[in-house]
Amino acid sequence: MQFPPGMVAVAVLCGLVAAAATTLSAVDARRRAGPHRQAYALLAAASGVVLLTLLLGVAVALSTTGHQGHAPDRRTGWAGVVAIGTAVGGLLFSAGLLRLPGVAATAAATARLALDGLVMAAAFWFVGWVLFSEPTRLLGDATPAACVPILLATVSAALTAGLALIVAFRAPSPRGRAAWLGAGATAVTCGGLGIATGLCQAGPGVALIGAGVLAAGLVAAASAARRLDATAQPALDLIRRDGAYAFVPMFAMAASAMYHLLQDGRFDALGIVAGSVEGFTLVARQYLTLHDVRGYARRLAEREAHFRELAHTDQLTALANRRGLLQALHRCAEAGAPCVLLGLDLDGFKHVNDMRGHDVGDAVLAEVGERLRANLRPGDVAARLGGDEFAVLMHGHPADADRVAERLLGVLGRAYDQPAGPIFLSVSIGVAGWAGEPDVELLLRHADLALRYAKQRGKNRIERYDATYDQLLRRRTTLEHELRGAIERDELRLAFQPVASLPSVRPVGAEALLRWRHPVLGNVGPDEFIPLAEECGMIAKLGAWVLHQACHQLSRWLADGHDVWVSVNVSPRELHAPEYVVQVAEALRAHRVPPQRLVLEVTEHAVATDLDELIRRLTALRATGVRIALDDFGAGYSSLGQLRRLPIDILKIDHGLVAEHEPVRPADGPAFAPMVDIVMRLGHQLGLEVIAEGVTTPTELAAVVAAGCRFGQGALFGWGVPAEHLEAMLEAATSPGARPAPAPAPAGPPASPPPRRLPTVPAPRPSEQGSAQVERGS
């Protein structure tokens, strides 16, 4: 059998090109890895099936050249094989397109794409059926007759074309490579349709043209697949343009059907089947869309409920947060039910975060939340308002709330076991109920006031709201506001309480006391505004003002020839400020005050905070030449071991030791105060001077004199007076006609007082740390 050379060349060229493209697809599939490797394997398998189909179809077409009139059944059989191969290849290409990177993330998304492709395919096939069937017959006499292989090939081509179009729209940007791949797959099935048509009735020329189109399609598909981005992600909007997918195909089918009817065409079984497939596919697609919308709405509702819960829940403790508590309060107010609000605050929690770290602090807060949940009644709401502040909303009678508050006071005060050791905390609780008509904001305010009052009264206690708290809060707020400008408005004054030499009762020193007279509020006591200044951070400013005013007045007295010293009280916060030593030295220099004439008084309470740090600060202060006095000694904080370590010069005996006990009256000696006597002996053994505070009666004076105390301070010698009054006392004591006042009660000689060259000024204690000796000049 002789084959035309041109046809043979075309056939060989098509086979070689198709084989090269198939090899390229196979190599690309082998080098791919990851979850999308299956897509490239399907494309390679499709290329292999189509290559075999091409070779078979070309071989059959060449073998029947010149014998078109012979063995039609045989040609139809081979056309059917080619059509089946084309259909299998088209299905494999379609499966590979659906699994491309970025096309579909889930099985549901893949089903939606497949249905969309089927909708487009049915529309393509129906429009083609209208165009190529009676009475249109677009190709005229060249229109192929009805043939099962051709019908199968057209269905395969329509399916592949429809799905390729959908994938091109679904693929992530840029869509060019996906579009080329879809176009190549469509060309492959169209080429298979051409081969089947040529074998069935049109001749080898059409078959070779189909082979050429098929080979070109394989090349396009292979080259496009190699350049696809394997990391592309599917679009989040899985149902975009669904209206267009449904509307455009239906419009095309309706328009073509109307045209077919207008041309006196008839619908046979194939047209009815195509229309039915389109309708059922659209129904199935819309059902999936509705199912997706319902699932999406359900997920939205679940997420909304979840986020609503998160918005009203504290993440650390799983208790309600402030928003959740407000919601519960508003529900309670709307119902008009009696309820009580407990405000809770952990005492000393900041120390846990500072010393143990925030991780341990969070663990303690979580444990607090568990203890609250375990000790509340059903229906009660526990909330964390922020930091270490909690609240409990209880329903029922206030008496029940009192019992629960007492239980919580004990439960939350138990040790919190941690890997580094147990942590002990206390809790302050404020209790408040509805005041008349339910008012959420007012209830919150009352509970907060009661809590603040509980903390001010010593912490670790329960306080129920009282109307007087409002007055206290308003006064406290007013005082804090006015105190910030008191210095600038010249409302502060210094009063000086004399320190007398015993037994002569001659003033030799003074303690500077801060006084505040407000033009509207009147005299504000230091026990009220000093703690307020410490809390609001103004104590450093007030302390600096007092230091400079005291040094200024002391310099004037010394310039006038008075033998006197002045003591100034120092708060623990000032003492621990790194710049305080510099401030003291600057004040001494600015006012030209000899350092030994200034005494800094530290309360015994400061010893209980941080002894080592206190020793470092006091040592630095003594290095400037000033003397240090330990005030309120005997109040119960310091021990004898601490006293030995402290770099101090003076002990000021607490007035409780002087006034609390009656003097002892031995049979063979004068009456004396035993506690004062003990402190005197201790002070002298440590090289300290001793000053008795709170001497108010002649009997107390006689007792401290009998104990050997050389200096006294108290109401008996004078209250805090203005500077000019104390100056008058100093001048009266040093006038030529002045005589030393005898002790009010007879007493024997002092009990071995240490010798002093200048008895009117307490001498500094020798420093064991190597600080310079302070000169006791006149």
Side-chain angles (χ1 to χ4, degrees):
M1 181 182 299
Q2 297 295 326
F3 301 112
M7 296 181 64
V8 174
V10 171
V12 172
L13 179 61
C14 291
L16 291 175
V17 170
T22 302
T23 303
L24 186 64
S25 296
V27 172
D28 187 35
R30 286 180 60 84
R31 70 180 181 85
R32 296 286 182 174
H36 299 290
R37 182 179 183 182
Q38 186 178 10
Y40 298 98
L42 288 172
L43 295 178
S47 298
V49 171
V50 172
L51 174 63
L52 295 178
T53 301
L54 181 147
L55 296 177
L56 176 63
V58 169
V60 172
L62 291 178
S63 65
T64 57
T65 301
H67 302 281
Q68 294 296 326
H70 301 284
D73 293 338
R74 180 184 176 188
R75 293 197 305 272
T76 302
W78 286 114
V81 174
V82 170
I84 292 174
T86 302
V88 173
L91 290 176
L92 291 174
F93 268 118
S94 299
L97 288 173
L98 290 174
R99 293 184 174 274
L100 286 178
V103 174
T106 63
T110 303
R112 284 193 295 269
L113 289 179
L115 288 175
D116 289 339
L118 186 57
V119 169
M120 300 299 295
F124 285 153
W125 194 94
F126 186 85
V127 172
W129 174 81
V130 169
L131 294 177
F132 291 100
S133 63
E134 294 287 351
T136 304
R137 291 180 63 83
L138 184 65
L139 297 181
D141 295 337
T143 301
C147 177
V148 174
I150 295 176
L151 177 63
L152 180 61
T154 56
V155 170
S156 174
L159 282 174
T160 306
L163 189 62
L165 183 62
I166 294 296
V167 169
F169 279 105
R170 288 291 194 186
S173 298
R175 300 187 178 93
R177 295 168 184 173
W180 270 109
L181 180 57
T186 303
V188 167
T189 54
C190 290
L193 171 62
I195 296 174
T197 302
L199 293 179
C200 191
Q201 57 187 259
V206 174
L208 289 178
I209 293 174
V213 173
L214 189 150
L218 285 177
V219 172
S223 60
R226 288 180 62 85
R227 295 193 298 270
L228 283 176
D229 183 9
T231 62
Q233 296 298 321
L236 296 178
D237 184 6
L238 300 178
I239 56 175
R240 67 186 183 195
R241 302 183 184 177
D242 277 0
Y245 294 154
F247 177 76
V248 173
M250 285 302 298
F251 178 79
M253 291 185 68
S256 60
M258 185 62 66
Y259 168 78
H260 188 67
L261 290 175
L262 292 176
Q263 296 294 325
D264 294 330
R266 297 293 182 266
F267 288 101
D268 57 11
L270 292 177
I272 295 174
V273 169
S276 300
V277 169
E278 181 77 4
F280 282 114
T281 304
L282 284 174
V283 170
R285 182 63 178 86
Q286 295 308 313
Y287 175 79
L288 283 181
T289 302
L290 180 61
H291 181 271
D292 291 339
V293 171
R294 287 175 177 172
Y296 182 66
R298 184 177 61 256
R299 290 192 297 273
L300 278 182
E302 293 173 353
R303 291 179 181 179
E304 181 182 1
H306 175 65
F307 287 127
R308 186 183 298 111
E309 181 181 359
L310 289 180
H312 293 83
T313 305
D314 177 66
Q315 296 301 301
L316 179 61
T317 62
L319 301 177
N321 58 13
R322 183 178 294 273
R323 189 180 292 107
L325 177 65
L326 287 175
Q327 185 182 55
L329 282 170
H330 283 293
R331 286 199 302 264
C332 185
E334 292 171 359
C339 66
V340 180
L341 183 63
L342 278 62
L344 301 90
D345 191 89
L346 301 178
D347 304 324
F349 180 76
K350 183 178 182 299
H351 180 71
V352 176
N353 279 337
D354 293 341
M355 302 302 295
R356 298 286 190 94
H358 288 276
D359 291 341
V360 175
D362 289 347
V364 170
L365 292 176
E367 177 67 20
V368 170
E370 294 179 4
R371 295 186 186 184
L372 285 176
R373 280 192 297 269
N375 288 275
L376 294 182
R377 305 169 308 175
D380 295 340
V381 178
R384 179 186 176 216
L385 305 183
D388 59 344
E389 186 177 355
F390 294 82
V392 175
L393 176 61
M394 301 184 59
H395 302 276
H397 195 271
D400 298 335
D402 293 337
R403 289 193 293 270
V404 172
E406 290 287 351
R407 183 167 69 250
L408 293 179
L409 195 70
V411 168
L412 299 181
R414 293 202 299 262
Y416 296 85
D417 295 328
Q418 295 296 319
I423 294 175
F424 296 91
L425 295 173
S426 62
V427 63
S428 300
I429 302 178
V431 183
W434 295 126
E437 292 296 325
D439 188 328
V440 173
E441 297 300 329
L442 190 61
L443 180 62
L444 286 168
R445 181 172 177 271
H446 287 175
D448 185 62
L449 284 176
L451 175 61
R452 292 173 63 179
Y453 192 61
K455 296 184 76 69
Q456 290 176 10
R457 294 193 63 187
K459 304 178 181 180
N460 193 28
R461 60 187 297 118
I462 302 170
E463 289 292 338
R464 178 171 285 278
Y465 170 77
D466 189 274
T468 57
Y469 294 170
D470 284 322
Q471 301 175 4
L472 294 174
L473 177 63
R474 282 195 294 269
R475 178 171 176 82
R476 176 185 176 85
T477 304
T478 302
L479 288 177
E480 180 178 348
H481 180 269
E482 296 297 321
L483 184 60
R484 295 187 182 278
I487 295 177
E488 290 75 9
R489 295 190 302 269
D490 197 26
E491 296 173 1
L492 300 181
R493 295 288 184 273
L494 287 186
F496 296 89
Q497 185 177 25
V499 178
S501 175
L502 303 181
S504 65
V505 197
R506 182 168 64 89
V508 294
E511 180 179 353
L513 305 175
L514 183 59
R515 296 291 183 261
W516 181 20
R517 179 173 180 81
H518 190 271
V520 177
L521 301 175
N523 291 322
V524 183
D527 56 342
E528 187 175 10
F529 72 82
I530 292 298
L532 180 61
E534 292 180 347
E535 292 183 18
C536 69
M538 280 200 61
I539 192 64
K541 181 178 179 181
L542 292 182
W545 185 87
V546 170
L547 179 64
H548 278 275
Q549 292 295 318
C551 288
H552 173 70
Q553 186 59 55
L554 178 58
S555 66
R556 293 183 57 183
W557 286 336
L558 294 176
D560 292 340
H562 297 296
D563 186 9
V564 67
W565 82 87
V566 171
S567 63
V568 175
N569 291 283
V570 183
S571 70
R573 182 168 297 183
E574 288 181 279
L575 191 61
H576 287 78
E579 65 275 7
Y580 186 69
V581 176
V582 178
Q583 291 179 359
V584 172
E586 178 62 24
L588 294 172
R589 185 196 62 79
H591 299 285
R592 299 181 180 180
V593 172
Q596 70 273 16
R597 295 286 178 168
L598 178 65
V599 178
L600 299 179
E601 295 191 14
V602 181
T603 61
E604 195 179 12
H605 175 71
V607 178
T609 56
D610 188 343
L611 182 61
D612 293 334
E613 179 65 18
L614 179 65
I615 291 175
R616 287 192 291 270
R617 297 293 182 183
L618 294 181
T619 302
L621 284 172
R622 291 186 76 216
T624 66
V626 301
R627 290 175 293 169
I628 307 297
L630 183 61
D631 197 9
D632 299 332
F633 180 74
Y637 287 104
S638 59
S639 65
L640 295 180
Q642 292 172 339
L643 188 64
R644 183 66 181 86
R645 293 178 58 194
L646 288 174
I648 59 176
D649 306 284
I650 302 170
L651 279 181
K652 299 189 73 172
I653 306 175
D654 184 75
H655 63 89
L657 298 183
V658 176
E660 186 175 7
H661 303 286
E662 290 291 333
V664 176
R665 300 182 181 275
D668 55 349
F672 68 97
M675 296 303 297
V676 176
D677 183 72
I678 292 174
V679 174
M680 282 296 307
R681 295 177 183 275
L682 175 64
H684 290 166
Q685 287 293 329
L686 296 177
L688 304 175
E689 191 59 80
V690 181
I691 300 176
E693 287 188 295
V695 179
T696 58
T697 65
T699 302
E700 293 172 355
L701 173 60
V704 298
V705 170
C709 188
R710 302 175 58 239
F711 299 96
Q713 183 179 353
L716 187 63
F717 314 118
W719 296 102
V721 295
E724 55 269 21
H725 291 185
L726 184 63
E727 185 174 355
M729 296 171 62
L730 294 173
E731 291 177 352
T734 57
S735 62
R739 294 289 184 269
S752 303
R756 302 288 182 187
R757 187 177 62 172
L758 187 62
T760 58
V761 180
R765 175 185 180 186
S767 172
E768 297 177 353
Q769 286 79 14
S771 59
Q773 292 290 336
V774 180
E775 180 182 359
R776 292 178 290 170
S778 58

